[in-house]
Amino acid sequence: MEITVHNHIVQIAVVTTDSRIDAFSAPKLRERLDALVAGGANRFVIDLSAVPFIDSAGMAVLVSLLKKARVADGEVVLVWPNEEAARRILRLTKFDRVFPMADDVESALIASTR
Amino acid sequence: MEITVHNHIVQIAVVTTDSRIDAFSAPKLRERLDALVAGGANRFVIDLSAVPFIDSAGMAVLVSLLKKARVADGEVVLVWPNEEAARRILRLTKFDRVFPMADDVESALIASTR
Amino acid sequence: MSYAPVELSIPAEHRYLNIIAACIGDLLAREEGLVEPAITTYNIQLAVQEISANIVDHAYGAASGRIAITMQVLCQPHRMVIQLLDTGVAFNPASVATPDLDEIHEGGYGLFLARSLLDDLSYNTRPDGNIWRLTKRLDV
Amino acid sequence: MSYAPVELSIPAEHRYLNIIAACIGDLLAREEGLVEPAITTYNIQLAVQEISANIVDHAYGAASGRIAITMQVLCQPHRMVIQLLDTGVAFNPASVATPDLDEIHEGGYGLFLARSLLDDLSYNTRPDGNIWRLTKRLDV
Ligand SMILES: Nc1ncnc2c1ncn2[C@@H]1O[C@H](COP(=O)(O)OP(=O)(O)O)[C@@H](O)[C@H]1O
Ligand SMILES: Nc1ncnc2c1ncn2[C@@H]1O[C@H](COP(=O)(O)OP(=O)(O)O)[C@@H](O)[C@H]1O
């Protein structure tokens, strides 16, 4: 009897911050995410739960990551911000229809491996 | 056999806020405290734990209350602010030597009944 | 109640734009009678962030300059009016269309957000510069 | 690094003074290399609160007016400099003694706090008004 065991490892980069994501800080976030993509990462959970504010420059960074991740057969799951006003902006711009959304990191990780 | 039971009730006003106490808000706090004094209160716990900022106008309200409370044989116990910078100001001005200080409301209540 | 304006002037750089939001937040924190104060404050802050980031990126671009901001709470109707003055290049906001929200884009949400979140957004080119005027009702 | 100044002008009323603190907080939030950033920020905010509340209460009193504030981070040494200009009555800060801290007082802590929390506090009367200049080192 020959038995083959194949260990399939799915690596997911969980990115968390409690800072404003705006035109000032977005370039730093983009740089960090680009470095992860360059290192081979293609599955991401962006934990926005503690983010107090996100502007369109910050949202552009998320879209840029999504495009790169999907080209590499990956995915970007967003964890909803706790800040209700920020949630409404993600709905207004229909970002919640394009990104898989999760209520917390745990469910985001489950969604990422599906 | 004659037995006398005397119920001694000590009433302590516990005053809590999570707002800045400054030259703008201090008059509102003073008014509220003065109304309690006018109503007969003489024992106070001022819970500063969640106060993010207190200026000298706010501190003046505390001193004013202390004077009124002590005239009426009462006391004012302060609960230390969580904000380290605010704690340092209470030490710098030696307020912590004049007011009985407590780490939380529970120990402030115990101190108030001594 | 109506109040005298608060005036702010900052270098036209992204690192200073959070100061405008801070002023708006602290101004509205002491204003009574707001409907959904947290949401309203956030929406005004986001609209101003978008307009001011555009001034830095597009009106000034590589050039340096300043942004002069006036903020005022007015009554009848109860509203906040914010004006932003820059001396960068002029443009025509009417030329910017609403993004197609069924497609995802890497940009082009700024003016859409500002327009969506405000009750009125006007732009004028004057001899002393370009002036944006943002109006948000506080009582609805 | 040194930066261009942020300028703010507010009505001389207590309800607006928190805006100065908000600007300082957001300016320092993006400044690197601060020693004890939370404590330093708080101390600058409290010193400015005391000086500006005195302007409202004592320089203007019942009169109305405005306070013009400039805030700037400078280098060599790394420090924050804040100037407050008012057009109220002039006075002599040297005439104000340190309160006796072993007695409790209902007032008189304002200038003491500002002096204690800053590295330098100067006051000058100029033709355009009274100017307070507050300096706080950020790297010690
Ligand atoms: N203040 C401005 N000055 C000049 N051009 C501007 C200004 N604001 C916006 N624009 C132009 O309008 C376009 C759309 O702006 P916006 O909706 O904010 O999206 P984005 O800034 O992401 O491109 C910009 O790309 C720019 O060409
Ligand atoms: N900007 C000012 N203009 C005029 N007088 C002032 C000013 N600042 C302070 N003073 C005077 O100095 C005194 C001490 O000020 P301070 O230490 O802040 O305590 P307080 O304001 O509680 O009296 C004030 O009572 C006032 O007479």
Side-chain angles (χ1 to χ4, degrees):
Chain A
M1 187 180 75
E2 235 187 289
I3 298 176
T4 309
V5 176
H6 175 74
N7 274 316
H8 183 69
I9 294 171
V10 177
Q11 195 168 321
I12 304 161
V14 181
V15 180
T16 305
T17 177
D18 60 1
S19 302
R20 282 169 67 93
I21 307 183
D22 64 13
F24 177 69
S25 62
K28 292 183 196 81
L29 178 62
R30 185 186 294 268
E31 208 177 298
R32 193 72 188 274
L33 295 173
D34 283 352
L36 291 171
V37 170
N42 70 341
R43 288 168 189 269
F44 293 85
V45 169
I46 311 292
D47 178 9
L48 300 174
S49 56
V51 168
F53 186 87
I54 177 162
D55 75 358
S56 72
M59 293 167 70
V61 172
L62 302 181
V63 175
S64 162
L65 179 68
L66 183 71
K67 288 184 172 168
K68 286 169 193 156
R70 287 194 179 163
V71 161
D73 275 332
E75 186 57 284
V76 179
V77 179
L78 302 184
V79 177
W80 282 106
N82 293 329
E83 175 62 55
E84 171 59 19
R87 300 163 80 100
R88 292 197 191 177
I89 301 302
L90 294 178
R91 284 190 215 106
L92 173 64
T93 51
K94 298 197 179 172
F95 267 49
D96 62 337
R97 309 246 185 113
V98 175
F99 288 86
M101 303 297 298
D103 285 333
D104 49 42
V105 170
E106 206 176 333
S107 35
L109 288 172
I110 294 166
S112 295
T113 48
R114 264 202 301 260
Chain B
M1 187 181 73
E2 235 187 288
I3 299 177
T4 309
V5 176
H6 175 72
N7 276 315
H8 183 67
I9 293 172
V10 177
Q11 195 168 321
I12 304 162
V14 180
V15 179
T16 304
T17 176
D18 60 359
S19 301
R20 283 169 67 92
I21 307 182
D22 63 14
F24 177 69
S25 61
K28 291 184 197 78
L29 178 63
R30 183 185 296 266
E31 207 175 300
R32 195 71 185 274
L33 295 173
D34 282 352
L36 291 170
V37 170
N42 69 341
R43 290 168 187 268
F44 293 86
V45 170
I46 311 293
D47 179 9
L48 301 175
S49 56
V51 168
F53 185 87
I54 177 162
D55 75 357
S56 72
M59 293 166 70
V61 174
L62 301 181
V63 175
S64 162
L65 179 68
L66 183 71
K67 289 183 171 170
K68 287 170 194 155
R70 287 195 179 162
V71 162
D73 275 332
E75 185 57 284
V76 178
V77 179
L78 303 184
V79 177
W80 281 106
N82 292 328
E83 175 63 54
E84 171 60 20
R87 300 162 81 100
R88 292 197 191 177
I89 301 302
L90 294 178
R91 284 189 215 107
L92 173 65
T93 50
K94 299 197 179 171
F95 268 49
D96 62 338
R97 308 247 184 111
V98 175
F99 287 87
M101 303 297 298
D103 285 332
D104 49 42
V105 170
E106 207 176 332
S107 37
L109 287 172
I110 294 167
S112 295
T113 48
R114 265 202 301 260
Chain C
M1 243 189 98
S2 289
Y3 297 101
V6 167
E7 294 161 9
L8 177 69
S9 160
I10 57 170
E13 295 171 36
H14 289 304
R15 72 176 290 124
Y16 295 101
L17 303 185
N18 62 338
I19 296 175
I20 317 176
C23 289
I24 294 166
D26 267 27
L27 205 50
L28 292 180
R30 292 187 164 174
E31 188 61 23
E32 318 246 304
L34 270 66
V35 174
E36 287 199 304
I39 303 284
T40 301
T41 301
Y42 188 101
N43 288 347
I44 299 174
Q45 289 172 326
L46 181 54
V48 171
Q49 171 68 24
E50 296 298 338
I51 296 299
S52 58
N54 277 348
I55 292 172
V56 172
D57 290 334
H58 305 303
Y60 286 116
S64 65
R66 294 184 70 87
I67 309 177
I69 305 110
T70 67
M71 296 164 250
Q72 191 164 15
V73 173
L74 294 164
C75 63
Q76 292 179 321
H78 194 195
R79 65 200 190 277
M80 183 164 203
V81 176
I82 299 168
Q83 301 199 90
L84 297 106
L85 180 77
D86 71 76
T87 56
V89 301
F91 98 119
N92 176 16
S95 68
V96 179
T98 300
D100 174 3
L101 296 180
D102 293 320
E103 297 277 313
I104 194 115
H105 315 273
E106 242 186 88
Y109 292 98
L111 272 175
F112 162 73
L113 283 173
R115 284 173 180 149
S116 306
L117 300 174
L118 297 169
D119 291 298
D120 192 59
L121 175 65
S122 77
Y123 175 89
N124 278 292
T125 296
R126 300 194 313 202
D128 59 336
N130 311 304
I131 189 144
W132 290 92
R133 189 185 160 92
L134 291 64
T135 305
K136 179 74 174 175
R137 290 285 293 270
L138 300 176
D139 53 2
V140 284
Chain D
M1 245 188 96
S2 289
Y3 296 101
V6 166
E7 294 161 9
L8 177 68
S9 160
I10 56 169
E13 295 171 35
H14 288 305
R15 71 177 292 123
Y16 295 102
L17 302 185
N18 63 339
I19 296 176
I20 317 177
C23 289
I24 293 166
D26 267 27
L27 204 50
L28 291 179
R30 292 186 165 174
E31 188 61 22
E32 318 247 304
L34 271 65
V35 173
E36 288 199 303
I39 303 284
T40 301
T41 301
Y42 188 101
N43 287 347
I44 298 174
Q45 288 172 326
L46 181 54
V48 171
Q49 171 68 25
E50 297 299 338
I51 297 298
S52 59
N54 276 348
I55 292 173
V56 172
D57 290 333
H58 305 303
Y60 286 116
S64 64
R66 294 184 71 86
I67 309 177
I69 305 110
T70 67
M71 297 165 251
Q72 191 164 16
V73 173
L74 294 163
C75 62
Q76 292 179 322
H78 193 196
R79 65 200 190 278
M80 183 163 202
V81 177
I82 298 168
Q83 301 199 90
L84 296 107
L85 181 77
D86 71 75
T87 56
V89 301
F91 98 120
N92 176 15
S95 67
V96 179
T98 300
D100 173 3
L101 297 180
D102 293 318
E103 297 276 313
I104 195 114
H105 314 274
E106 243 187 270
Y109 292 97
L111 272 176
F112 162 73
L113 283 173
R115 286 174 178 147
S116 305
L117 301 173
L118 297 169
D119 292 297
D120 192 60
L121 175 64
S122 78
Y123 176 88
N124 278 293
T125 296
R126 300 193 315 202
D128 59 336
N130 312 304
I131 189 143
W132 290 91
R133 188 186 161 90
L134 291 64
T135 305
K136 178 73 173 176
R137 290 284 296 270
L138 300 176
D139 53 2
V140 283

